[in-house]
Amino acid sequence: MSSLRANQLKSEITAMPTWLRRPIGKASELSNVQRIIKQRQIHTICEEGRCPNRGECYAQKTATFLLMGPTCTRSCAFCQVDKGHAPMPLDPEEPQKVAEAVQLLGLRYVVLTSVARDDLPDQGAGWFVKTMEAIRQLNPETQIEVLTPDFYGEYQRIATIATAKPACYNHNIETVRRLTGKVRRGAKYDRSLLVLQIVKEIDPTIPTKSGLMLGHGETVEEILATMTDLRNVDCDRLTIGQYMRPSLEHLPVQKYWTPAEFDELGAIAKQMGFSHVRSAPLVRSSYHAGEEGTGD
């Protein structure tokens, strides 16, 4: 990185509002998780995405595993995960390695997510199920939430996972309709709604969840319209957080929403009928997911 670009990024970080700065967590909790996942050559979105809440989640015995390698076949303009058209071959031992890591870490609630794997015949739907089965064999008390790609809205791929009975099925819509093409390259707004709708058609008892990342230039009216669209497909749970630019290669932040604005949006979401709402600047998709899973 040139000194000019380095200084530009440094100035952006310096200009970040105080409410977006927080300690990373206890070094011992971080290092223990990092050691176990590194030994098994598996990945977590907590680390790959540099989540600001990872220390807190690890302390609460919750973690989000990133399946099928660290390289995504899509190129969303906000995401920290590596992109490329030649992702790694699947590791046949990954489901078992993840299950062992869950056991060693004593995790009570696990979120399984993945990079988009458009190169695979089922885009990785079956891999989610294999990993769920491996975790349940070693950790029968651990609840499993899935956070999946859109699978191009293909019914059978979504059904493959839904019929495996996750504790929650999460698919993030990420942004409002107008900005979807700019922010989520390769994704479609209505297709994301369709994923959540299909899950409810297959099994209405599975809680569904979605998330919004604010700061791309959306308006309050557009946010409320998106929340309405999610409720119209019976989405149960919602997370709302602030987009933070990972690097100069990513989209710039258009606005830092204040904690008070997040509180107001969260209150509106609850009035709309979402059963669980997390709305704050540092909220991410899996933030306090274990509390939702246990009904807290």
Side-chain angles (χ1 to χ4, degrees):
M1 182 185 295
S2 69
S3 59
L4 179 62
R5 290 172 67 80
N7 288 335
Q8 183 182 346
L9 185 59
K10 185 177 179 180
S11 66
E12 284 192 18
I13 294 170
T14 304
M16 190 179 293
T18 55
W19 60 78
L20 289 174
R21 301 175 189 177
R22 64 173 300 172
I24 197 167
K26 293 182 181 177
S28 59
E29 288 160 353
L30 287 170
S31 62
N32 185 41
V33 176
Q34 290 165 342
R35 174 180 54 81
I36 288 171
I37 64 174
K38 185 175 181 180
Q39 284 174 346
R40 283 158 183 77
Q41 295 182 306
I42 54 180
H43 305 273
T44 67
I45 194 64
C46 320
E47 300 298 330
E48 301 293 331
R50 301 178 192 174
C51 179
N53 305 310
R54 59 192 186 276
E56 181 180 350
C57 290
Y58 295 164
Q60 294 176 345
K61 300 299 181 184
T62 300
T64 301
F65 290 91
L66 181 67
L67 304 180
M68 295 178 267
T71 305
C72 188
T73 55
R74 300 191 190 178
S75 56
C76 292
F78 67 92
C79 185
Q80 178 71 33
V81 174
D82 290 340
K83 289 94 175 164
H85 294 290
M88 296 167 57
L90 295 180
D91 174 3
E93 297 180 1
E94 183 181 53
Q96 187 64 27
K97 289 177 179 177
V98 170
E100 290 171 358
V102 171
Q103 186 179 50
L104 284 168
L105 293 167
L107 300 181
R108 297 187 297 264
Y109 197 93
V110 173
V111 183
L112 299 179
T113 191
S114 78
V115 293
R117 288 299 301 258
D118 299 328
D119 58 310
L120 300 176
D122 70 347
Q123 296 185 351
W127 203 252
F128 273 91
V129 177
K130 285 184 180 180
T131 308
M132 292 169 71
E133 290 171 347
I135 291 170
R136 286 168 173 163
Q137 281 187 338
L138 283 183
N139 313 273
E141 302 301 316
T142 300
Q143 294 193 69
I144 305 170
E145 176 178 318
V146 295
L147 169 55
T148 76
D150 64 20
F151 299 120
Y152 284 112
E154 207 279 328
Y155 185 94
Q156 189 52 52
R157 294 167 187 160
I158 299 162
T160 295
I161 299 174
T163 53
K165 293 276 189 180
C168 179
Y169 195 116
N170 186 357
H171 173 69
N172 286 334
I173 201 160
E174 302 289 8
T175 192
V176 300
R177 183 184 294 275
R178 175 177 59 87
L179 296 172
T180 295
K182 175 183 176 183
V183 175
R184 302 177 66 210
R185 299 166 191 156
K188 294 185 183 299
Y189 183 88
D190 288 318
R191 193 161 67 200
S192 286
L193 293 172
L194 179 63
V195 171
L196 300 167
Q197 179 180 326
I198 288 173
V199 174
K200 283 297 188 183
E201 289 173 357
I202 293 166
D203 188 344
T205 68
I206 297 175
T208 52
K209 179 177 173 183
S210 195
L212 279 164
M213 250 324 127
L214 306 188
H216 292 295
E218 62 289 316
T219 66
V220 170
E221 291 75 20
E222 287 175 318
I223 297 167
L224 299 184
T226 302
M227 292 196 295
T228 299
D229 289 339
L230 289 169
R231 287 299 297 135
N232 285 341
V233 294
D234 294 324
C235 182
D236 301 294
R237 302 174 181 178
L238 181 68
T239 58
I240 311 175
Q242 171 70 49
Y243 167 63
M244 294 160 67
R245 191 183 195 186
S247 77
L248 293 178
E249 306 303 321
H250 295 79
L251 288 173
V253 177
Q254 299 297 324
K255 174 183 175 178
Y256 288 112
W257 293 72
T258 67
E261 289 173 315
F262 277 101
D263 288 344
E264 185 175 353
L265 289 170
I268 294 171
K270 289 176 183 175
Q271 291 170 2
M272 285 184 169
F274 288 99
S275 61
H276 295 78
V277 178
R278 302 286 182 188
S279 180
L282 287 170
V283 161
R284 298 296 180 262
S285 298
S286 305
Y287 188 60
H288 285 207
E291 292 179 11
E292 295 167 6
T294 55
D296 294 342

